[in-house]
């Protein structure tokens, strides 16, 4: 599976989880209020992770008020859950066109991407999950507004992609620009990385070509390339703008081609 396709699946999954969480935007740590809704800020998925609002990993332990997650970067997090935390299960594949599902008993499901609403007790040790909510990297804790159980195929693809993070691709928010060097705060590891562009680097925003001068501090970017010396030599840099409602869809409402 191509990396861009996997990133698209991840973004789609995160946005669907965010939509589920947004149904109860007041849910905070353990559902006690005070947390930020997932409809705010940069949205879900990888972009949400850039804002410190997401985790992906494998469940190590379950309890009524928390999950223990080992992330794909081998960090262990305590994830607080509560009565307002939404639990959903993602469909196999990309889930396109599956629409709204319903949980047992006829109650509305999470909708979008074919998500099925489940109970907290349905999450088991060994499940691969996406967590949306406030993340504290220093304490290795998170407060979940929504938890999505990934299907095994998607989880395998994500693990493979994550193994290449920092080696063949990077994603993060630009924090400084010095000539052809972009310093980004990594979306996945929350660490600084230096991305170097040259005359052979292809730069785009969505499908439109841009120049290095068009990239600003605060932009979220994804780069492909390889580690070279103390930096990351980029062959491509994509400025990641949030799509407008309905963008990238055909007249039947199905997602359009990958950008």
């Amino acid at each position: 599976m191509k990396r861009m396709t996997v990133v698209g699946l991840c973004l789609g999954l995160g946005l669907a989880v965010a939509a589920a969480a947004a149904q109860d935007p007041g849910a905070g740590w353990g559902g006690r209020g005070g947390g930020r809704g997932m409809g705010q800020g940069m949205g879900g998925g990888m972009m949400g992770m850039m804002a410190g609002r997401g985790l992906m990993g494998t469940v190590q332990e379950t309890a009524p008020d928390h999950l223990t997650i080992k992330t794909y970067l081998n960090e262990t997090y305590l994830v607080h859950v509560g009565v307002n935390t939404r639990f959903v299960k993602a469909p196999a594949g990309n889930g396109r066109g599956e629409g709204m599902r319903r949980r047992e008993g006829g109650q509305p499901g999470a909708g979008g991407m074919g998500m099925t609403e489940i109970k907290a007790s349905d999450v088991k040790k060994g499940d691969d999950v996406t967590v949306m909510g406030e993340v504290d990297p220093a304490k290795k804790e998170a407060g979940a507004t929504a938890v999505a159980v990934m299907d095994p195929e998607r989880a395998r693809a994500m693990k493979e992609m994550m193994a290449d993070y920092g080696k063949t691709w990077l994603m993060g928010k630009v924090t400084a620009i010095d000539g052809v060097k972009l310093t980004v705060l990594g979306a996945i590891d929350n660490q600084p990385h230096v991305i170097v562009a040259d005359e052979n680097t292809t730069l785009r925003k969505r499908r439109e070509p841009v120049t290095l001068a068009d990239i600003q501090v605060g932009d979220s970017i994804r780069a492909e390339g390889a580690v070279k010396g103390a930096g990351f030599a980029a062959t491509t840099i994509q400025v990641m703008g949030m799509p407008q409602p309905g963008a990238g869809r055909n007249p039947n409402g199905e997602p359009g081609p990958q950008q």
Side-chain angles (χ1 to χ4, degrees):
M1 185 178 293
K2 294 181 180 179
R3 183 176 299 111
M4 186 59 190
T5 302
V6 178
V7 171
L9 290 176
C10 176
L11 285 169
L13 174 61
L15 288 169
V17 179
Q23 295 180 43
D24 188 3
W29 281 37
R32 292 185 291 271
R36 282 177 282 182
M38 288 296 95
Q40 298 177 356
M42 298 179 68
M46 293 284 193
M47 291 186 176
M49 291 182 186
M50 293 180 197
R53 298 173 190 159
L55 293 171
M56 286 187 177
T58 306
V59 177
Q60 306 295 302
E61 176 192 12
T62 65
D65 63 349
H66 73 271
L67 302 172
T68 302
I69 306 291
K70 187 174 184 180
T71 73
Y72 295 154
L73 294 179
N74 293 318
E75 296 179 319
T76 301
Y77 273 78
L78 180 68
V79 178
H80 301 275
V81 299
V83 294
N84 291 326
T85 304
R86 300 187 70 86
F87 293 86
V88 295
K89 185 174 183 178
N94 61 19
R96 289 178 179 176
E98 302 225 6
M100 178 77 77
R101 290 187 181 270
R102 292 184 175 271
R103 64 191 299 184
E104 186 176 355
Q107 296 301 313
M113 294 292 290
M115 290 287 190
T116 303
E117 193 165 353
I118 61 175
K119 297 179 293 185
S121 58
D122 293 327
V123 180
K124 306 295 184 184
K125 179 179 179 180
D127 283 345
D128 287 280
V129 297
T130 297
V131 175
M132 298 303 293
E134 294 297 323
V135 177
D136 187 332
K139 294 183 178 180
K140 295 293 186 290
E141 293 187 13
T145 54
V147 176
V149 178
M150 289 186 277
D151 82 282
E153 181 181 353
R154 191 192 306 264
R156 177 190 58 76
M158 284 303 307
K159 289 176 183 178
E160 291 178 358
M161 185 185 75
M162 294 298 292
D164 289 334
Y165 181 77
K167 301 174 185 177
T168 63
W169 72 283
L170 281 168
M171 183 181 290
K173 182 181 290 187
V174 178
T175 58
I177 301 174
D178 181 11
V180 296
K181 296 181 179 180
L182 307 175
T183 301
V184 302
L185 183 64
I188 308 301
D189 58 0
N190 204 40
Q191 297 296 316
H193 299 269
V194 176
I195 297 175
V196 182
D198 61 23
E199 66 276 8
N200 296 317
T201 304
T202 299
L203 299 98
R204 291 186 178 277
K205 183 171 185 179
R206 297 179 188 163
R207 297 183 181 182
E208 299 299 321
V210 295
T211 68
L212 197 59
D214 294 316
I215 299 178
Q216 306 293 323
V217 170
D219 284 343
S220 297
I221 65 173
R222 181 180 63 84
E224 294 194 7
V227 175
K228 186 176 181 180
F232 183 89
T235 56
T236 64
I237 295 176
Q238 180 86 19
V239 181
M240 300 173 62
M242 289 297 287
Q244 298 299 315
R249 292 181 175 270
N250 64 29
N252 294 322
E254 293 295 323
Q258 291 288 342
Q259 295 182 13

